[in-house]
Every structure is written in structure tokens, then in C-alpha cells.
Amino acid sequence: MNGVSCAENILPERTVSAATTTGTRSNFDVKKPMKKLLDSVTDAENREKEHRKYHDHYRIRYFWCAFLPIALMSGFQTIIAGPSDWCWNPQLLRIMLALWTILISGIACYWQWDGLAERHLQSAKRLSNLIADTQHSMCKELTAKETQTILQSWYE
């Protein structure tokens, strides 16, 4: 009886210690590299959000500061291109509108808000694809490590 109770006490301890040792070792092996990957994925997600925010910012800036004023001035120039008796000096007004259009077009070309918006959008798309690929490989890596841990615990 004494031998049986000793064996029962030793067996669970051995199983528990083997499981805890294997579990701790595998968690240590898996968690350390996985933590770095998770941190990098989180960092990439934050950068993707920033790129999307900048894309929206530059797209809106281009629309309000370049496209809309140029479109309105061009439309107004078209309207007053014909003979008009309502304006005291239509030729001067046409010249002023043309100069303003040239100035705003030059500013838009110099700052290239539309190009910046597109570059930020492409960067956000690339980061999104990278995040998806990394998460997919993390899932494959994690399942392979877990499978290896389970098999090791069976043999111990």
C-alpha cells in the first residue's frame, strides 16, 4: 500500500512537471519570437493608418485648394468669354481669372498634393498586404510550433 501511494504521488508530479516544463519551454520559445512579430504587425498597422490618414488629407487639400478653384475659374471664364454688357471691363476680368488659374495650377503642380495622396495610398496598400502575409505566416508558424510541443509532450 505504501508503494502504491508513493507511485501515485510520483506519477502525477512527473506528469505535471513534464507538462509544465514542456509548456514553459515551448511558450518561451514561441512567445519571444511571436512577440516581436506581433509588435511589428501592430507597428505596421499603425503606419498603415497613418498613410491612409495622410492620403485623405492630401486628397482633400488637392480638391479644395487646386481642383475646385481651377474648375470654378475655368467655368466662369467660359461664361464671360462671349460678348457681355454686364461687366465694366470683361477683358481685364478674363486676364485676372487666367492669371489666378495659372497661379493656382502652378501651386498645385509644385506641391503635388495629388501625387502625395497616391503615394500614401500605395504605401498603405503595400503595408496592408504585408500585414496579411505576416499574419498568415504567424498562424502557420504558431500551429507548427504547437504541433511540435504536443508531440514532444506525448513522447515525454
Side-chain angles (χ1 to χ4, degrees):
M1 198 78 163
N2 232 355
V4 174
S5 65
C6 281
E8 287 173 355
N9 289 338
I10 292 173
L11 188 61
E13 286 176 14
R14 184 173 171 193
T15 309
V16 169
S17 65
T20 28
T21 345
T22 323
T24 314
R25 184 178 46 185
S26 68
N27 286 343
F28 179 76
D29 292 345
V30 171
K31 284 185 180 178
K32 192 170 185 180
M34 295 306 282
K35 181 161 176 34
K36 288 181 183 178
L37 275 174
L38 286 172
D39 289 345
S40 66
V41 167
T42 305
D43 207 29
E45 287 172 343
N46 291 337
R47 285 186 293 170
E48 178 196 7
K49 288 177 188 173
E50 284 180 29
H51 280 295
R52 291 199 186 274
K53 184 179 74 171
Y54 283 127
H55 166 256
D56 292 340
H57 171 76
Y58 286 121
R59 186 184 50 154
I60 289 169
R61 179 178 279 187
Y62 175 75
F63 178 79
W64 286 106
C65 297
F67 175 77
L68 189 64
I70 290 171
L72 290 176
M73 286 189 286
S74 297
F76 193 64
Q77 283 176 335
T78 305
I79 291 171
I80 65 169
S84 60
D85 295 331
W86 61 270
C87 186
W88 59 272
N89 195 350
Q91 194 63 26
L92 180 64
L93 184 61
R94 287 183 203 128
I95 291 171
M96 293 299 291
L97 286 173
L99 289 174
W100 275 107
T101 304
I102 290 170
L103 179 70
I104 291 175
S105 298
I107 290 171
C109 286
Y110 178 76
W111 286 109
Q112 298 178 356
W113 292 314
D114 55 339
L116 285 171
E118 283 304 310
R119 276 185 250 144
H120 280 290
L121 181 64
Q122 292 304 317
S123 296
K125 285 180 181 178
R126 282 191 215 118
L127 278 170
S128 179
N129 290 339
L130 179 66
I131 290 167
D133 291 343
T134 305
Q135 287 175 340
H136 180 68
S137 65
M138 274 184 4
C139 289
K140 286 170 52 177
E141 178 79 19
L142 186 62
T143 54
K145 291 280 188 183
E146 285 178 344
T147 306
Q148 185 181 11
T149 304
I150 291 169
L151 289 175
Q152 283 178 354
S153 66
W154 282 353
Y155 291 121
E156 289 181 357

